[in-house]
Amino acid sequence: MELLRGQPAIAAVRETVDGTSPLAAICIDPDARRGQPLRIVAIASPHRAVLIDAQQTPTLGETLSQLCPLGAHEAKTVQRALLNAYEATLPRWACISLCEQLLAGGRDVDMSLGAIGQRYLQMQPPALDGGFEAMGAHTQALAGIIAAQ
């Protein structure tokens, strides 16, 4: 899977998000989830993933702020990383974790991403730290979960 930069990355993001129903998913690299500078952003529908070099695509934050809501696992962490990198972010989010809590209706269920993936996709999303292909597949799985929720 290719890491896109600049205008080709922006065009691919728009193409991926525009045709996605109900929502596309967004994911960030594992180091950024731990508070390090944002390096890679993945945007996906259930059928297509795009990987973006965050540091070489300075207009990504502005582009994302103009798009429809995106979904993410632990969306607050993703939003914080985007704000730190671009000082712009999406005005609205869908959070897989929060949606799952609401759908559980107070029942005691496993809220780990692996368990959520098993419930909706009959598989756990691939690990984020397995390279570009795995990150793309992980984000596509998130999009599938969002569609199923």
Side-chain angles (χ1 to χ4, degrees), residues 37-83:
L38 182 62
R39 293 179 304 131
I40 301 172
V41 175
I43 307 280
S45 70
H47 309 290
R48 178 181 184 204
V50 176
L51 294 181
I52 301 119
D53 183 329
Q55 296 173 350
Q56 297 297 316
T57 310
T59 60
L60 182 60
E62 179 182 339
T63 300
L64 292 175
S65 71
Q66 298 167 0
L67 297 175
C68 64
L70 295 177
H73 178 248
E74 298 175 349
K76 184 177 179 180
T77 302
V78 176
Q79 181 172 8
R80 187 176 300 122
L82 291 170
L83 279 170

Side-chain angles (χ1 to χ4, degrees), residues 28-39 77 80-81 84-85:
I28 59 174
D29 64 270
D31 290 339
R33 286 189 162 277
R34 293 187 288 269
Q36 299 299 313
L38 182 62
R39 293 179 304 131
T77 302
R80 187 176 300 122
N84 288 339

Side-chain angles (χ1 to χ4, degrees), residues 50-136:
V50 176
L51 294 181
I52 301 119
D53 183 329
Q55 296 173 350
Q56 297 297 316
T57 310
T59 60
L60 182 60
E62 179 182 339
T63 300
L64 292 175
S65 71
Q66 298 167 0
L67 297 175
C68 64
L70 295 177
H73 178 248
E74 298 175 349
K76 184 177 179 180
T77 302
V78 176
Q79 181 172 8
R80 187 176 300 122
L82 291 170
L83 279 170
N84 288 339
Y86 299 113
E87 297 181 5
T89 188
L90 291 148
R92 296 182 307 157
W93 287 88
C95 180
I96 290 171
S97 303
L98 182 57
C99 288
E100 194 62 16
Q101 289 173 10
L102 294 170
L103 290 169
R107 292 184 307 269
D108 186 24
V109 296
D110 186 348
M111 292 292 178
S112 69
L113 183 57
I116 295 169
Q118 285 288 66
R119 281 194 287 279
Y120 293 105
L121 305 175
Q122 287 72 53
M123 62 172 248
Q124 292 187 13
L128 270 176
D129 56 4
F132 288 167
E133 292 293 330
M135 187 172 185

